[in-house]
Amino acid sequence: QVQLVESGGGLVQPGGSLRLSCAASGSIFSINVMGWYRQAPGKERELVARITSGGRTNYTDSVKGRFTISRDNAKNTVYLQMNSLKPEDTAVYYCHAYLILYYKSGYSNYWGQGTQVTVSP
């Protein structure tokens, strides 16, 4: 089995910063892509940022220049540094990993349980 454990969410004022972390554990052979998605009330889940094992990154336009995704491959951990937070960043943030297990062929998608980020005065 695989577990993705997120941490670092919370309440922050507009203009503030938060750092999310997500550690993957289990019978993991290799992780291709790790990333963060978010879902606000009444909206669909959307990609925030993702990073490949080689370090290539993608960001949704609304967070470019404010958020930075990084990854520690040795620890199977992905981070999201969020700066200049805005009220519209308020959402549940989900960690995602596209990985292959030791005992199972092919890559599969795995998700964390989600962590709440609230940006409010």
Side-chain angles (χ1 to χ4, degrees), residues 10-58:
L11 173 65
V12 64
Q13 293 185 340
S17 298
L18 283 175
R19 189 187 192 219
L20 305 182
S21 300
C22 172
S25 62
S27 301
I28 299 169
F29 177 73
S30 175
I31 303 179
N32 186 349
V33 180
M34 298 189 81
W36 293 93
Y37 288 71
R38 66 186 179 187
Q39 187 167 19
K43 295 188 176 181
E44 293 187 354
R45 189 175 298 190
E46 64 170 353
L47 172 68
V48 177
R50 60 188 174 194
I51 183 169
T52 68
S53 57
R56 189 164 60 184
T57 59
N58 292 99

Side-chain angles (χ1 to χ4, degrees), residues 26-109:
S27 301
I28 299 169
F29 177 73
S30 175
I31 303 179
N32 186 349
V33 180
M34 298 189 81
W36 293 93
Y37 288 71
R38 66 186 179 187
Q39 187 167 19
K43 295 188 176 181
E44 293 187 354
R45 189 175 298 190
E46 64 170 353
L47 172 68
V48 177
R50 60 188 174 194
I51 183 169
T52 68
S53 57
R56 189 164 60 184
T57 59
N58 292 99
Y59 297 90
T60 192
D61 286 345
S62 63
V63 307
K64 287 179 180 177
R66 300 188 298 122
F67 291 10
T68 302
I69 190 169
S70 60
R71 175 172 171 174
D72 186 333
N73 290 330
K75 296 181 179 179
N76 287 339
T77 299
V78 64
Y79 307 96
L80 186 67
Q81 179 66 43
M82 304 185 292
N83 298 329
S84 302
L85 282 160
K86 304 175 181 180
E88 50 263 44
D89 294 317
T90 296
V92 177
Y93 284 69
Y94 295 91
C95 177
H96 168 261
Y98 185 59
L99 59 83
I100 189 168
L101 302 175
Y102 278 108
Y103 57 85
K104 182 180 177 181
S105 62
Y107 282 89
S108 298
N109 293 297

